[in-house]
Amino acid sequence: MPTKFLDVLPDPNYKMDSAGFEDSAGEAGPGFARVKLSNISSFDSDKTMTGIWIPKKTKAPYWSITINYNPMTLAEFSPVYNFIMQKRGRRLPFYISLPQYRVPKDSTFATYVQSNPVTTAESGAAGVTNIQMTTSGWTSYPKFGDLFHIEDAADTLHTKAYMISHVETSTDYQSGNAPGAGNIRAHFSPPLSRSTTSGSSVVFNRPLIKVVQQTDLQQYKLDAEGLYSFSLKLEEALY
């Protein structure tokens, strides 16, 4: 019997039964017709008397996501809409799994991380943009554009999602700054939102983004053919 309430927006891979549990035999949500992903960073700028530009961060960076669905039948629409209604607008956060980032770009690495854990090989302070990672034996590496999140047993509030920008390996690294033996140095954006401990899990397989709705209004359109039109505007939720 399922024991965990579904906390991921229903889609073809995340199914929900009538009790609200995550259940492989439950009802699947539809796939997305269009996804818009934005990384929003807020900066002001100023100049000194000598013309030197000084950037000033005004807000922590976050992901903004717009999801559009194709017209849906009632059976397709119900899991999504009832899941969203239960969140009571902006009150309760939930997770989404974006199909374009569901698995890493490199097929060898994607297969490897399905059954082999990747962990941080060092602690990382909030604000850093790279960290060393390790595993039992690299068969391939993450590529720029891969999404991941960190699961830190010492900090369950660390839910932010990150995107790989480039990776240093034992044979390809900045001069005089090789990663430790058996490690890679992964560079990513945005910077770490919270410090993380060594040995934390780095999730590349089915990475999730914790989000909240941008509005308290939930509405849909029903056409003469009985098809439902619906869309979602979400932003990353950090606590």
Side-chain angles (χ1 to χ4, degrees):
M1 176 179 178
T3 57
K4 179 178 181 293
F5 285 115
L6 182 65
D7 59 358
V8 182
L9 181 69
D11 66 17
N13 299 294
Y14 289 92
K15 301 177 182 181
M16 182 174 65
D17 66 18
S18 58
F21 290 109
E22 182 176 352
D23 188 347
S24 59
E27 295 185 48
F32 308 149
R34 290 179 300 279
V35 176
K36 179 181 178 181
L37 178 66
S38 304
N39 182 21
I40 300 176
S41 299
S42 297
F43 284 90
D44 283 338
S45 63
D46 202 353
K47 286 187 177 181
T48 67
M49 294 295 291
T50 57
I52 297 174
W53 180 65
I54 304 174
K56 301 176 183 178
K57 182 184 290 186
T58 59
K59 186 185 297 185
Y62 65 96
W63 300 105
S64 175
I65 305 103
T66 301
I67 295 173
N68 295 101
Y69 292 94
N70 288 314
M72 295 175 280
T73 64
L74 179 59
E76 295 169 327
F77 174 69
S78 291
V80 173
Y81 191 68
N82 286 281
F83 178 89
I84 291 298
M85 286 290 289
Q86 190 269 335
K87 303 307 174 185
R88 290 176 280 170
R90 292 173 290 179
R91 181 176 176 82
L92 298 176
F94 55 95
Y95 293 91
I96 60 168
S97 174
L98 296 180
Q100 68 270 39
Y101 299 113
R102 180 174 169 78
V103 297
K105 292 164 60 178
D106 185 279
S107 59
T108 301
F109 183 64
T111 300
Y112 179 83
V113 296
Q114 287 181 20
S115 54
N116 295 276
V118 177
T119 60
T120 55
E122 59 184 351
S123 60
V128 303
T129 57
N130 66 81
I131 195 167
Q132 292 195 52
M133 300 178 182
T134 190
T135 188
S136 58
W138 298 100
T139 57
S140 186
Y141 305 108
K143 305 294 184 183
F144 50 81
D146 283 342
L147 199 73
F148 69 91
H149 72 263
I150 292 173
E151 294 180 352
D152 187 344
D155 184 4
T156 57
L157 294 180
H158 193 168
T159 58
K160 188 166 184 62
Y162 305 95
M163 185 176 290
I164 294 290
S165 58
H166 57 285
V167 172
E168 295 178 82
T169 69
S170 59
T171 57
D172 189 6
Y173 56 87
Q174 187 177 6
S175 178
N177 194 28
N183 299 343
I184 63 169
R185 181 179 293 109
H187 296 254
F188 50 84
S189 181
L192 278 183
S193 65
R194 304 172 70 93
S195 61
T196 191
T197 56
S198 179
S200 298
S201 297
V202 184
V203 181
F204 287 99
N205 185 50
R206 297 192 181 190
L208 300 173
I209 305 177
K210 191 173 188 177
V211 297
V212 68
Q213 297 177 77
Q214 291 184 4
T215 176
D216 291 320
L217 175 67
Q218 296 89 39
Q219 63 181 2
Y220 62 84
K221 295 180 180 179
L222 178 62
D223 65 21
E225 296 180 346
L227 297 177
Y228 293 79
S229 296
F230 188 60
S231 62
L232 287 169
K233 291 186 176 180
L234 312 168
E235 63 181 54
E236 191 171 24
L238 302 178
Y239 295 88

